[in-house]
């Protein structure tokens, strides 16, 4: 019998995703552009359409569903690299 011991290496990346979300509003619609986060939340509250708040979304697959355009995915840095011992040790029998 051969025992195959393995290790799993996990690499965590920080990736920036740039997207655009478009809203149709009246021509006289105003908001405070000096605070983008508050302006965005006000826009989400004011628009009658079924528009998702992207500040609450964590899943990358969901972002493409709720936006009209993904501009880019940018690698920023590697956050962590660590070795994890695998729980499974498959055993191969020699016959």
């Amino acid at each position: 019998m051969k025992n195959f011991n393995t290790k799993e290496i996990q690499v965590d990346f920080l990736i920036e995703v740039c997207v655009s979300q478009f809203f149709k509003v009246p021509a006289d619609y105003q908001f405070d552009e000096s605070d983008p986060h508050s302006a965005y939340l006000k826009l989400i509250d004011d628009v009658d359409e079924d528009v998702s708040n992207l500040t609450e979304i964590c899943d990358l697959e969901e972002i493409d569903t709720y936006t009209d355009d993904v501009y880019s995915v940018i690698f920023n840095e590697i956050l962590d690299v660590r070795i994890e011992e695998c729980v499974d040790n498959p055993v191969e029998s020699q016959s």
Side-chain angles (χ1 to χ4, degrees), residues 25-93:
V25 296
D28 61 349
Y29 185 82
Q30 299 290 321
F31 58 86
D32 181 8
E33 293 182 49
S34 67
D35 183 5
H37 190 264
S38 293
Y40 176 70
L41 294 178
K42 178 184 181 327
L43 186 58
I44 292 291
D45 285 341
D46 292 346
V47 173
D48 291 334
E49 301 169 22
D50 183 24
V51 177
S52 294
N53 180 351
L54 293 179
T55 64
E56 296 175 350
I57 293 178
C58 298
D59 239 349
L60 188 59
E61 292 92 25
E62 293 179 35
I63 291 176
D64 191 39
T65 305
Y66 296 122
T67 63
D68 296 321
D69 197 7
V70 175
Y71 279 121
S72 60
V73 177
I74 302 164
F75 167 77
N76 283 340
E77 65 182 289
I78 295 174
L79 298 175
D80 191 20
V81 177
R82 62 185 170 275
I83 296 176
E84 307 258 339
E85 295 296 331
C86 285
V87 177
D88 295 338
N89 286 325
V91 175
E92 179 185 295
S93 65

